[in-house]
Amino acid sequence: MAVLEAALLLRLAPEDLVVAVGVEGLSLARELRDRWLEEIGRDPSLILPQAKYELARVLPEPAERPQLMTTEIRALPQAA
């Protein structure tokens, strides 16, 4: 498969790809592509993005909201 990826990166023409990969490798790549297309035909959700996190989910409200700490603001003593 590394040869096929390299050929795609180099943007070889289809004729050059056959030479670089070989007829057997090219037929295996086509077979793999066909199997993948069949799987997508059976279950189109396979091509949807699979996110790591559920961004649309609403978080529950906390039972008790934490109170902000209030501090007393003190003035510096007057200079003499």
Coordinates of all heavy atoms in Angstrom, one line a residue:
M1 N 0.8 -1.2 0.0 CA 0.0 0.0 0.0 C 0.9 1.3 0.0 O 0.4 2.3 -0.4 CB -0.9 0.0 1.2 CG -2.1 -0.8 1.0 SD -2.9 -0.4 -0.5 CE -4.5 -1.0 -0.3
A2 N 2.1 1.2 0.5 CA 2.9 2.4 0.5 C 3.2 2.8 -0.9 O 3.3 4.0 -1.1 CB 4.2 2.1 1.3
V3 N 3.4 1.9 -1.8 CA 3.6 2.3 -3.2 C 2.4 3.1 -3.8 O 2.6 4.1 -4.5 CB 4.0 1.1 -4.0 CG1 4.2 1.4 -5.5 CG2 5.2 0.4 -3.5
L4 N 1.2 2.6 -3.5 CA 0.0 3.2 -4.0 C -0.1 4.6 -3.4 O -0.4 5.6 -4.1 CB -1.2 2.4 -3.6 CG -2.6 2.9 -4.1 CD1 -2.6 3.1 -5.6 CD2 -3.7 2.0 -3.6
E5 N 0.1 4.8 -2.1 CA 0.1 6.1 -1.5 C 1.1 7.0 -2.1 O 0.8 8.2 -2.3 CB 0.2 6.0 0.0 CG -0.9 5.3 0.7 CD -0.6 5.0 2.2 OE1 0.5 5.3 2.6 OE2 -1.6 4.5 2.8
A6 N 2.3 6.5 -2.3 CA 3.3 7.4 -2.9 C 3.0 7.8 -4.3 O 3.2 8.9 -4.7 CB 4.7 6.6 -2.9
A7 N 2.4 6.9 -5.1 CA 2.0 7.2 -6.4 C 0.9 8.2 -6.4 O 0.9 9.1 -7.3 CB 1.5 5.9 -7.1
L8 N 0.0 8.1 -5.5 CA -1.1 9.2 -5.4 C -0.5 10.5 -5.0 O -1.0 11.5 -5.5 CB -2.2 8.7 -4.4 CG -3.0 7.5 -4.8 CD1 -4.0 7.1 -3.7 CD2 -3.8 7.9 -6.1
L9 N 0.5 10.5 -4.1 CA 1.1 11.8 -3.7 C 1.8 12.4 -4.9 O 1.9 13.6 -5.0 CB 2.0 11.5 -2.5 CG 1.3 11.3 -1.2 CD1 2.4 11.0 -0.1 CD2 0.5 12.5 -0.8
L10 N 2.4 11.6 -5.7 CA 3.2 12.1 -6.8 C 2.3 12.4 -8.0 O 2.7 12.9 -9.0 CB 4.3 11.1 -7.2 CG 5.4 10.8 -6.2 CD1 6.3 9.7 -6.7 CD2 6.2 12.1 -6.0
R11 N 1.0 12.1 -7.9 CA 0.0 12.3 -8.9 C 0.4 11.7 -10.2 O 0.5 12.4 -11.3 CB -0.3 13.8 -9.0 CG -0.8 14.4 -7.8 CD -1.1 15.8 -7.9 NE -1.7 16.3 -6.6 CZ -1.9 17.5 -6.3 NH1 -1.6 18.4 -7.1 NH2 -2.4 17.8 -5.1
L12 N 0.7 10.4 -10.2 CA 1.0 9.7 -11.4 C -0.2 9.5 -12.2 O -1.3 9.4 -11.7 CB 1.7 8.4 -11.0 CG 3.0 8.4 -10.3 CD1 3.5 7.0 -10.0 CD2 4.1 9.1 -11.1
A13 N 0.0 9.4 -13.5 CA -1.1 9.1 -14.5 C -1.5 7.6 -14.3 O -0.7 6.8 -13.8 CB -0.6 9.3 -15.9
P14 N -2.7 7.3 -14.6 CA -3.1 5.9 -14.4 C -2.2 4.8 -15.1 O -2.0 3.8 -14.5 CB -4.5 5.8 -15.1 CG -5.0 7.2 -15.0 CD -3.8 8.1 -15.1
E15 N -1.6 5.2 -16.2 CA -0.7 4.2 -16.9 C 0.6 4.0 -16.0 O 1.1 2.9 -15.9 CB -0.3 4.7 -18.3 CG -1.5 4.9 -19.2 CD -2.1 6.3 -19.0 OE1 -1.5 7.3 -18.6 OE2 -3.4 6.3 -19.2
D16 N 1.1 5.1 -15.5 CA 2.3 5.1 -14.6 C 2.0 4.4 -13.3 O 2.8 3.7 -12.8 CB 2.8 6.5 -14.4 CG 3.2 7.2 -15.6 OD1 3.6 6.5 -16.6 OD2 3.2 8.4 -15.6
L17 N 0.8 4.5 -12.8 CA 0.4 3.8 -11.6 C 0.4 2.3 -11.8 O 0.8 1.6 -10.9 CB -1.0 4.3 -11.2 CG -1.6 3.8 -9.9 CD1 -0.7 4.2 -8.7 CD2 -3.0 4.2 -9.7
V18 N 0.0 1.8 -12.9 CA 0.0 0.4 -13.2 C 1.4 -0.1 -13.1 O 1.7 -1.2 -12.6 CB -0.7 0.1 -14.5 CG1 -0.5 -1.4 -14.9 CG2 -2.2 0.4 -14.4
V19 N 2.3 0.7 -13.7 CA 3.7 0.2 -13.7 C 4.3 0.3 -12.3 O 5.0 -0.6 -11.9 CB 4.6 1.2 -14.7 CG1 6.0 0.9 -14.5 CG2 4.1 1.0 -16.1
A20 N 4.0 1.3 -11.5 CA 4.5 1.5 -10.2 C 4.0 0.5 -9.2 O 4.7 -0.1 -8.4 CB 4.2 2.9 -9.7
V21 N 2.7 0.2 -9.3 CA 2.1 -0.7 -8.3 C 2.0 -2.1 -8.8 O 2.2 -3.1 -8.1 CB 0.6 -0.2 -8.0 CG1 -0.1 -1.2 -7.1 CG2 0.7 1.2 -7.4
G22 N 1.9 -2.3 -10.1 CA 1.7 -3.6 -10.7 C 0.2 -3.9 -10.9 O -0.6 -3.3 -10.2
V23 N 0.0 -4.8 -11.8 CA -1.4 -5.1 -12.1 C -2.1 -5.8 -10.9 O -3.2 -5.5 -10.6 CB -1.4 -6.1 -13.3 CG1 -2.8 -6.5 -13.6 CG2 -0.8 -5.4 -14.5
E24 N -1.4 -6.6 -10.2 CA -2.0 -7.3 -9.1 C -2.3 -6.3 -7.9 O -3.4 -6.4 -7.3 CB -1.1 -8.4 -8.5 CG -1.7 -9.2 -7.4 CD -0.7 -10.3 -7.0 OE1 -0.1 -10.9 -7.8 OE2 -0.7 -10.6 -5.7
G25 N -1.4 -5.4 -7.7 CA -1.6 -4.4 -6.6 C -2.8 -3.5 -7.0 O -3.6 -3.1 -6.1
L26 N -2.9 -3.2 -8.2 CA -4.0 -2.3 -8.7 C -5.3 -3.0 -8.6 O -6.3 -2.4 -8.1 CB -3.7 -1.8 -10.1 CG -4.6 -0.7 -10.6 CD1 -4.4 0.5 -9.7 CD2 -4.2 -0.4 -12.0
S27 N -5.3 -4.3 -8.9 CA -6.6 -5.0 -8.8 C -7.0 -5.2 -7.3 O -8.2 -5.1 -7.0 CB -6.5 -6.3 -9.5 OG -5.6 -7.2 -8.9
L28 N -6.0 -5.4 -6.4 CA -6.3 -5.5 -5.0 C -6.9 -4.1 -4.5 O -7.8 -4.1 -3.7 CB -5.1 -5.9 -4.2 CG -4.6 -7.3 -4.4 CD1 -3.3 -7.5 -3.7 CD2 -5.7 -8.3 -3.9
A29 N -6.3 -3.0 -4.9 CA -6.8 -1.7 -4.5 C -8.2 -1.5 -5.0 O -9.0 -0.9 -4.3 CB -5.9 -0.6 -5.0
R30 N -8.5 -1.9 -6.2 CA -9.8 -1.7 -6.7 C -10.8 -2.6 -6.0 O -12.0 -2.2 -5.7 CB -9.9 -2.1 -8.2 CG -9.2 -1.0 -9.1 CD -9.3 -1.3 -10.5 NE -8.7 -0.2 -11.3 CZ -8.1 -0.4 -12.5 NH1 -8.1 -1.6 -13.0 NH2 -7.6 0.7 -13.1
E31 N -10.4 -3.8 -5.6 CA -11.3 -4.7 -4.9 C -11.6 -4.1 -3.5 O -12.7 -4.1 -3.0 CB -10.6 -6.1 -4.7 CG -11.3 -7.1 -3.9 CD -12.7 -7.5 -4.5 OE1 -12.8 -7.5 -5.7 OE2 -13.6 -7.9 -3.7
L32 N -10.6 -3.5 -2.9 CA -10.8 -2.9 -1.6 C -11.7 -1.7 -1.7 O -12.6 -1.5 -0.8 CB -9.4 -2.5 -1.0 CG -9.4 -1.9 0.4 CD1 -9.9 -2.9 1.4 CD2 -8.0 -1.4 0.8
R33 N -11.6 -0.9 -2.7 CA -12.4 0.2 -3.0 C -13.9 -0.3 -3.2 O -14.8 0.3 -2.6 CB -12.0 1.0 -4.2 CG -12.9 2.2 -4.5 CD -12.7 2.6 -5.9 NE -13.1 1.5 -6.8 CZ -12.8 1.5 -8.1 NH1 -12.1 2.5 -8.6 NH2 -13.1 0.5 -8.9
D34 N -14.1 -1.3 -3.9 CA -15.4 -1.8 -4.2 C -16.1 -2.4 -2.9 O -17.3 -2.1 -2.7 CB -15.4 -2.9 -5.3 CG -15.0 -2.4 -6.6 OD1 -15.1 -1.2 -6.8 OD2 -14.6 -3.2 -7.5
R35 N -15.3 -3.0 -2.1 CA -15.8 -3.5 -0.8 C -16.3 -2.4 0.1 O -17.3 -2.4 0.7 CB -14.8 -4.4 -0.1 CG -14.6 -5.7 -0.7 CD -13.7 -6.6 0.1 NE -13.3 -7.8 -0.6 CZ -12.6 -8.7 0.0 NH1 -12.1 -8.5 1.2 NH2 -12.3 -9.8 -0.7
W36 N -15.4 -1.3 0.1 CA -15.8 -0.2 0.9 C -17.0 0.5 0.4 O -17.9 0.9 1.2 CB -14.6 0.8 0.9 CG -14.9 2.1 1.6 CD1 -14.9 3.3 1.1 CD2 -15.2 2.3 3.0 NE1 -15.2 4.3 2.0 CE2 -15.4 3.7 3.2 CE3 -15.4 1.4 4.1 CZ2 -15.7 4.2 4.4 CZ3 -15.7 2.0 5.3 CH2 -15.9 3.3 5.5
L37 N -17.2 0.6 -0.9 CA -18.4 1.2 -1.4 C -19.6 0.4 -1.1 O -20.7 0.9 -0.9 CB -18.2 1.5 -2.9 CG -17.3 2.6 -3.3 CD1 -17.1 2.6 -4.8 CD2 -17.7 3.9 -2.8
E38 N -19.5 -0.9 -1.1 CA -20.6 -1.8 -0.7 C -21.0 -1.6 0.7 O -22.2 -1.5 1.1 CB -20.2 -3.3 -1.0 CG -20.2 -3.7 -2.4 CD -19.7 -5.1 -2.6 OE1 -19.5 -5.8 -1.6 OE2 -19.5 -5.5 -3.8
E39 N -20.0 -1.4 1.6 CA -20.3 -1.2 3.0 C -21.0 0.1 3.2 O -21.9 0.2 4.0 CB -19.0 -1.2 3.8 CG -18.4 -2.6 4.0 CD -19.2 -3.5 4.9 OE1 -19.8 -3.0 5.9 OE2 -19.4 -4.7 4.5
I40 N -20.5 1.1 2.5 CA -21.2 2.4 2.6 C -22.6 2.4 2.1 O -23.5 3.0 2.6 CB -20.4 3.5 1.9 CG1 -19.1 3.8 2.6 CG2 -21.2 4.8 1.7 CD1 -18.2 4.8 1.9
G41 N -22.8 1.6 1.0 CA -24.2 1.4 0.5 C -25.1 0.7 1.5 O -26.3 1.0 1.6
R42 N -24.5 -0.2 2.3 CA -25.4 -0.9 3.3 C -25.6 0.1 4.5 O -26.7 0.1 5.1 CB -24.6 -2.1 3.8 CG -24.8 -3.3 3.0 CD -24.3 -4.6 3.6 NE -23.6 -5.3 2.6 CZ -22.3 -5.6 2.6 NH1 -21.6 -5.3 3.6 NH2 -21.8 -6.2 1.6
D43 N -24.6 0.8 4.9 CA -24.7 1.7 6.1 C -24.1 3.0 5.9 O -22.9 3.2 6.1 CB -24.1 1.0 7.3 CG -24.3 1.7 8.6 OD1 -25.1 2.7 8.7 OD2 -23.6 1.4 9.6
P44 N -24.8 4.0 5.4 CA -24.3 5.3 5.0 C -23.7 6.1 6.2 O -23.0 7.0 6.1 CB -25.4 6.1 4.4 CG -26.4 5.0 4.0 CD -26.2 3.9 4.9
S45 N -24.1 5.7 7.4 CA -23.6 6.4 8.6 C -22.1 6.2 8.8 O -21.5 6.8 9.7 CB -24.4 6.0 9.9 OG -24.0 4.6 10.2
L46 N -21.5 5.2 8.1 CA -20.0 5.0 8.2 C -19.2 6.2 7.8 O -18.1 6.4 8.3 CB -19.6 3.8 7.4 CG -20.1 2.4 7.9 CD1 -19.8 1.3 6.9 CD2 -19.5 2.1 9.3
I47 N -19.8 7.0 6.9 CA -19.0 8.1 6.4 C -19.2 9.4 7.2 O -18.6 10.4 7.0 CB -19.2 8.4 4.9 CG1 -20.7 8.7 4.6 CG2 -18.7 7.3 4.1 CD1 -20.9 9.1 3.2
L48 N -20.2 9.3 8.2 CA -20.4 10.5 9.1 C -19.2 10.6 10.0 O -18.6 9.6 10.4 CB -21.7 10.3 9.8 CG -23.0 10.3 9.0 CD1 -24.2 10.0 9.9 CD2 -23.1 11.7 8.3
P49 N -18.9 11.8 10.4 CA -17.8 12.0 11.4 C -18.1 11.4 12.7 O -19.2 11.5 13.2 CB -17.6 13.5 11.5 CG -18.9 14.1 11.0 CD -19.5 13.1 10.1
Q50 N -17.1 10.7 13.3 CA -17.3 10.1 14.6 C -16.6 11.0 15.6 O -15.4 10.9 15.8 CB -16.7 8.7 14.6 CG -17.3 7.8 13.6 CD -18.8 7.5 13.9 OE1 -19.2 7.4 15.1 NE2 -19.6 7.4 12.9
A51 N -17.3 11.9 16.3 CA -16.7 12.8 17.2 C -16.3 12.1 18.5 O -16.9 11.2 18.9 CB -17.6 14.0 17.5
K52 N -15.3 12.7 19.1 CA -14.8 12.1 20.4 C -15.8 12.5 21.5 O -15.9 11.8 22.5 CB -13.4 12.6 20.7 CG -12.8 12.0 21.9 CD -11.3 12.4 22.0 CE -10.7 11.9 23.3 NZ -9.3 12.3 23.4
Y53 N -16.3 13.7 21.4 CA -17.2 14.3 22.4 C -18.6 14.6 21.8 O -18.7 14.9 20.6 CB -16.6 15.6 23.0 CG -15.2 15.4 23.5 CD1 -14.1 15.9 22.8 CD2 -15.0 14.8 24.7 CE1 -12.8 15.7 23.3 CE2 -13.7 14.6 25.2 CZ -12.7 15.1 24.5 OH -11.4 14.9 25.0
E54 N -19.6 14.5 22.6 CA -20.9 14.9 22.2 C -21.1 16.3 22.4 O -21.4 16.8 23.6 CB -22.0 14.1 23.1 CG -22.2 12.7 22.6 CD -23.3 12.0 23.4 OE1 -24.4 12.6 23.3 OE2 -23.1 11.0 24.0
L55 N -21.0 17.1 21.4 CA -21.1 18.6 21.5 C -22.5 19.1 21.7 O -22.7 20.1 22.2 CB -20.4 19.2 20.4 CG -18.9 18.9 20.2 CD1 -18.3 19.6 19.0 CD2 -18.1 19.3 21.4
A56 N -23.4 18.3 21.2 CA -24.8 18.8 21.2 C -25.5 18.4 22.5 O -26.6 18.9 22.8 CB -25.6 18.1 20.1
R57 N -24.9 17.6 23.4 CA -25.5 17.2 24.6 C -25.5 18.4 25.6 O -24.5 19.1 25.8 CB -24.7 16.1 25.2 CG -25.4 15.5 26.4 CD -24.6 14.3 27.0 NE -23.3 14.9 27.5 CZ -22.5 14.2 28.2 NH1 -22.7 12.9 28.4 NH2 -21.3 14.7 28.6
V58 N -26.6 18.6 26.3 CA -26.7 19.6 27.3 C -26.3 19.1 28.6 O -26.8 18.0 29.0 CB -28.2 20.1 27.3 CG1 -28.3 21.2 28.4 CG2 -28.6 20.7 26.0
L59 N -25.4 19.8 29.3 CA -25.0 19.4 30.6 C -26.1 19.6 31.6 O -26.8 20.6 31.6 CB -23.7 20.1 31.0 CG -22.5 19.8 30.1 CD1 -21.3 20.7 30.5 CD2 -22.1 18.4 30.2
P60 N -26.2 18.7 32.6 CA -27.2 19.0 33.7 C -26.8 20.2 34.5 O -25.6 20.4 34.7 CB -27.2 17.7 34.5 CG -25.9 17.1 34.2 CD -25.5 17.5 32.8
E61 N -27.8 20.9 35.1 CA -27.5 22.0 36.0 C -26.9 21.4 37.3 O -27.4 20.4 37.8 CB -28.8 22.8 36.3 CG -29.2 23.6 35.1 CD -28.2 24.8 34.8 OE1 -27.7 25.3 35.8 OE2 -28.0 25.1 33.6
P62 N -26.0 22.0 37.9 CA -25.4 21.6 39.2 C -26.5 21.7 40.2 O -27.3 22.6 40.2 CB -24.2 22.4 39.4 CG -24.3 23.6 38.5 CD -25.2 23.2 37.4
A63 N -26.5 20.8 41.2 CA -27.5 20.9 42.3 C -27.4 22.2 43.0 O -28.4 22.8 43.4 CB -27.3 19.7 43.2
E64 N -26.2 22.7 43.3 CA -26.0 23.9 44.0 C -25.0 24.7 43.3 O -23.9 24.2 43.1 CB -25.6 23.6 45.5 CG -25.5 24.8 46.4 CD -25.1 24.3 47.8 OE1 -25.8 23.5 48.3 OE2 -24.1 24.9 48.2
R65 N -25.3 25.9 43.0 CA -24.3 26.8 42.4 C -23.2 27.2 43.4 O -23.6 27.7 44.5 CB -24.9 28.0 41.7 CG -25.7 27.6 40.5 CD -26.1 28.8 39.7 NE -26.4 28.3 38.4 CZ -25.8 28.8 37.3 NH1 -25.0 29.8 37.4 NH2 -26.2 28.3 36.1
P66 N -22.0 27.2 43.1 CA -21.0 27.6 44.0 C -21.0 29.1 44.2 O -21.3 29.9 43.3 CB -19.6 27.2 43.4 CG -20.0 27.0 41.9 CD -21.4 26.6 41.9
Q67 N -20.9 29.5 45.5 CA -20.9 30.9 45.8 C -19.5 31.5 45.5 O -18.5 30.9 45.8 CB -21.3 31.2 47.2 CG -22.7 30.6 47.6 CD -23.8 31.4 46.8 OE1 -23.6 32.6 46.7 NE2 -24.8 30.7 46.4
L68 N -19.5 32.7 45.0 CA -18.3 33.4 44.7 C -17.8 33.9 46.1 O -18.5 34.4 46.9 CB -18.4 34.6 43.8 CG -18.8 34.2 42.3 CD1 -19.1 35.4 41.5 CD2 -17.8 33.3 41.7
M69 N -16.5 33.9 46.3 CA -15.9 34.4 47.5 C -15.9 35.9 47.4 O -15.5 36.5 46.5 CB -14.5 33.8 47.7 CG -14.4 32.4 47.9 SD -12.7 31.8 48.1 CE -12.2 32.7 49.5
T70 N -16.4 36.5 48.5 CA -16.3 38.0 48.6 C -15.2 38.3 49.6 O -15.1 37.7 50.6 CB -17.7 38.5 49.0 OG1 -18.0 38.0 50.3 CG2 -18.8 38.2 48.0
T71 N -14.4 39.2 49.2 CA -13.3 39.7 50.0 C -13.6 41.1 50.4 O -14.1 41.9 49.6 CB -12.0 39.5 49.4 OG1 -12.0 40.3 48.2 CG2 -11.7 38.1 49.1
E72 N -13.2 41.5 51.6 CA -13.3 42.9 52.0 C -12.2 43.7 51.5 O -11.0 43.3 51.5 CB -13.2 42.9 53.6 CG -13.4 44.2 54.2 CD -13.4 44.1 55.7 OE1 -13.8 43.1 56.3 OE2 -12.9 45.1 56.3
I73 N -12.5 44.8 50.9 CA -11.5 45.7 50.3 C -11.1 46.7 51.4 O -11.9 47.4 51.9 CB -12.0 46.4 49.0 CG1 -12.4 45.4 48.0 CG2 -11.0 47.4 48.5 CD1 -13.0 46.0 46.8
R74 N -9.8 46.7 51.7 CA -9.3 47.6 52.7 C -8.4 48.6 52.1 O -7.7 48.4 51.2 CB -8.5 46.8 53.7 CG -9.3 45.7 54.4 CD -8.4 45.0 55.4 NE -9.1 43.8 56.0 CZ -8.6 43.0 56.8 NH1 -7.3 43.1 57.1 NH2 -9.3 41.9 57.2
A75 N -8.5 49.8 52.7 CA -7.7 50.9 52.2 C -6.4 50.9 52.9 O -6.3 50.5 54.1 CB -8.4 52.2 52.4
L76 N -5.4 51.4 52.3 CA -4.1 51.5 52.9 C -4.1 52.7 53.9 O -4.9 53.6 53.7 CB -3.0 51.8 51.9 CG -2.7 50.6 51.0 CD1 -1.7 51.0 49.9 CD2 -2.2 49.4 51.7
P77 N -3.4 52.6 55.0 CA -3.4 53.8 55.9 C -2.9 55.0 55.3 O -2.0 55.0 54.4 CB -2.4 53.3 57.1 CG -1.9 52.0 56.7 CD -2.5 51.6 55.4
Q78 N -3.4 56.2 55.7 CA -3.0 57.4 55.1 C -1.5 57.7 55.5 O -1.0 57.5 56.6 CB -3.8 58.6 55.7 CG -5.3 58.5 55.3 CD -5.4 58.9 53.8 OE1 -4.6 59.6 53.2 NE2 -6.4 58.3 53.2
A79 N -0.8 58.2 54.5 CA 0.6 58.6 54.7 C 0.7 59.9 55.5 O -0.1 60.8 55.3 CB 1.3 58.7 53.3
A80 N 1.7 60.0 56.3 CA 1.8 61.2 57.2 C 2.4 62.3 56.4 O 3.1 62.4 55.6 CB 2.5 60.9 58.4

